[in-house]
């Protein structure tokens, strides 16, 4: 991923600390540096400027527990991955992680039987994720996040954060005591997880989708000053995505059917209008 620049999202709806807001988001490097109703003129000189004419909305990036290299084979009973070389498994890991990005999961929490493969792929390609692994199994690299498991207990930065069988909840059983959502049993994390969260209110759904950010102390899980610039933008200017410009409707119905149009991770574009920008993915491994 390229070095982040200065980005202005102007005239859009976004979900902040006190609900739906209308105005701008100004991104610089890895943080949302400013947000409000009217953008200062100097922000128009940003490296990238999007003016949506109030026909778009933005939410904080999602985070949930997902499979690693096992994901493409989720419909296969007991797949034999030993037929793949280590380099092929790394390419599968790249494919999986960037697919999660394109679906709005900007901080995937990967729980896999191949933590060393995912760890290496993330390090070499600068991918953002949280890797859950048994203590002492993989080296820790700067810029990545790790949750260690030891005798059924989970630790983050050497601090106990919960028991492995309680910390992550299935979507249909999510409550406020959960650290995050376990979506490994869902074919695709978006929008199936959101549909499964129908038993809780809309604000609680957004909170659940970004809660690991708060659980791990990265930010508060909503868009505003000093939040991480992991942002999902839904552009409704396309005639295929017409929605009533009513905030209560804007922030409910599209989640069930629409992929984000723009996905930012640490202030850089990982996905833009159908194109994955995080990395170039070789396809020959799936032929």
């Amino acid at each position: 991923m390229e070095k982040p620049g200065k980005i202005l999202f102007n005239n859009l709806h976004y979900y902040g600390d006190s609900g739906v807001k209308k105005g701008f988001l100004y991104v610089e490097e890895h943080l949302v540096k400013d947000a409000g109703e009217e953008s200062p003129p100097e922000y128009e000189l940003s490296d990238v400027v999007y003016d949506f004419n109030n026909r778009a909305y933005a939410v904080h990036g999602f985070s949930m527990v997902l499979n690693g290299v096992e994901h493409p084979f989720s419909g296969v009973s007991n797949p034999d991955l030993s037929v793949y070389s280590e380099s092929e498994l790394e390419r599968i890991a790249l494919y999986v992680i960037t697919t999660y990005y394109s679906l709005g999961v900007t901080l995937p929490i990967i729980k896999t039987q191949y933590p060393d493969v995912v760890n290496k792929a993330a390090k070499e390609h600068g991918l953002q994720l949280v890797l859950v692994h048994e203590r002492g199994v993989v080296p820790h690299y700067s810029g990545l996040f790790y949750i260690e498991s030891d005798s059924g207990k989970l630790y983050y930065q050497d601090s106990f954060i919960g028991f492995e069988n309680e910390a992550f909840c299935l979507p249909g059983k999510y409550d406020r005591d959960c650290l995050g959502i376990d979506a490994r049993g869902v074919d695709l994390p978006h929008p199936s997880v959101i549909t499964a969260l129908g038993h809780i209110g809309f604000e609680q759904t957004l909170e659940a989708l970004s809660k690991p950010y708060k659980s791990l102390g990265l930010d508060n899980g909503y868009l505003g000053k000093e939040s991480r610039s992991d942002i999902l933008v839904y552009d409704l200017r396309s005639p295929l995505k017409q929605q009533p410009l009513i905030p209560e409707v804007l922030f409910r119905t599209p989640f069930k059917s629409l992929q984000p149009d723009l996905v930012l991770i640490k202030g850089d574009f990982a996905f833009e209008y159908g194109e994955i920008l995080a990395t170039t993915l070789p396809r020959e491994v799936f032929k």
Side-chain angles (χ1 to χ4, degrees):
M1 296 174 67
E2 298 179 0
K3 183 179 179 180
K6 298 178 181 180
I7 304 169
L8 173 65
F9 296 121
N10 208 10
N11 293 315
L12 84 167
H13 301 267
Y14 65 94
Y15 205 89
D17 57 335
S18 58
V20 179
K21 299 184 177 182
K22 180 179 175 181
F24 73 93
L25 294 170
Y26 175 66
V27 175
E28 185 174 351
E29 296 181 344
H30 300 334
L31 297 175
V32 175
K33 287 293 187 179
D34 201 1
E37 295 182 0
E38 296 289 339
S39 62
E42 59 267 25
Y43 290 177
E44 296 290 344
L45 300 177
S46 300
D47 299 317
V48 179
V49 177
Y50 278 98
D51 192 321
F52 295 102
N53 195 27
N54 296 317
R55 298 200 63 84
Y57 67 95
V59 295
H60 192 286
F62 301 156
S63 180
M64 59 190 76
V65 182
L66 297 164
N67 289 313
V69 296
E70 302 90 346
H71 177 73
F73 311 95
S74 59
V76 181
S77 178
N78 301 317
D80 181 11
L81 301 188
S82 65
V83 299
Y84 293 100
S85 67
E86 183 174 339
S87 63
E88 287 174 328
L89 288 175
E90 288 177 19
R91 283 181 283 178
I92 294 174
L94 282 176
Y95 167 81
V96 169
I97 295 165
T98 50
T99 296
Y100 292 154
Y101 288 168
S102 72
L103 295 169
V105 185
T106 53
L107 184 67
I109 302 172
I110 303 298
K111 194 170 183 181
T112 176
Q113 296 181 36
Y114 301 87
D116 52 334
V117 168
V118 173
N119 198 37
K120 184 178 179 182
K123 172 183 177 291
E124 292 186 354
H125 294 271
L127 302 177
Q128 174 172 273
L129 56 81
V130 180
L131 183 62
V132 182
H133 66 89
E134 293 290 334
R135 178 165 282 180
V137 170
V138 299
H140 288 192
Y141 298 119
S142 176
L144 296 178
F145 305 103
Y146 299 90
I147 294 177
E148 295 181 292
S149 175
D150 188 356
S151 300
K153 298 179 180 179
L154 297 179
Y155 296 86
Y156 175 67
Q157 297 180 343
D158 292 326
S159 296
F160 173 71
I161 60 172
F163 292 97
E164 192 164 0
N165 61 347
E166 299 175 353
F168 300 111
C169 307
L170 296 175
K173 297 182 178 180
Y174 180 84
D175 61 40
R176 289 185 177 275
D177 293 330
C178 300
L179 298 182
I181 298 167
D182 186 346
R184 287 176 294 163
V186 179
D187 288 339
L188 287 176
H190 177 83
S192 303
V193 170
I194 297 167
T195 301
L197 287 169
H199 65 289
I200 63 177
F202 177 70
E203 291 187 7
Q204 289 74 30
T205 296
L206 286 181
E207 178 185 340
L209 291 169
S210 62
K211 187 169 182 182
Y213 281 87
K214 187 174 182 179
S215 300
L216 300 179
L218 303 181
D219 66 17
N220 288 322
Y222 57 79
L223 295 180
K225 290 184 181 180
E226 301 305 311
S227 68
R228 289 174 70 87
S229 49
D230 295 352
I231 302 171
L232 314 181
V233 178
Y234 295 78
D235 187 346
L236 304 182
R237 293 175 296 183
S238 167
L240 300 177
K241 296 183 177 180
Q242 291 298 323
Q243 296 289 337
L245 289 178
I246 304 171
E248 290 77 9
V249 176
L250 279 175
F251 284 87
R252 284 176 171 81
T253 55
F255 280 120
K256 296 184 178 181
S257 59
L258 299 184
Q259 183 178 50
D261 293 288
L262 301 171
V263 177
L264 268 71
I265 298 178
K266 296 188 296 184
D268 195 18
F269 289 99
F271 182 80
E272 184 175 18
Y273 293 106
E275 182 179 1
I276 295 177
L277 305 177
T279 186
T280 301
L281 299 174
R283 299 283 181 171
E284 66 271 13
V285 71
F286 295 106
K287 291 182 179 180

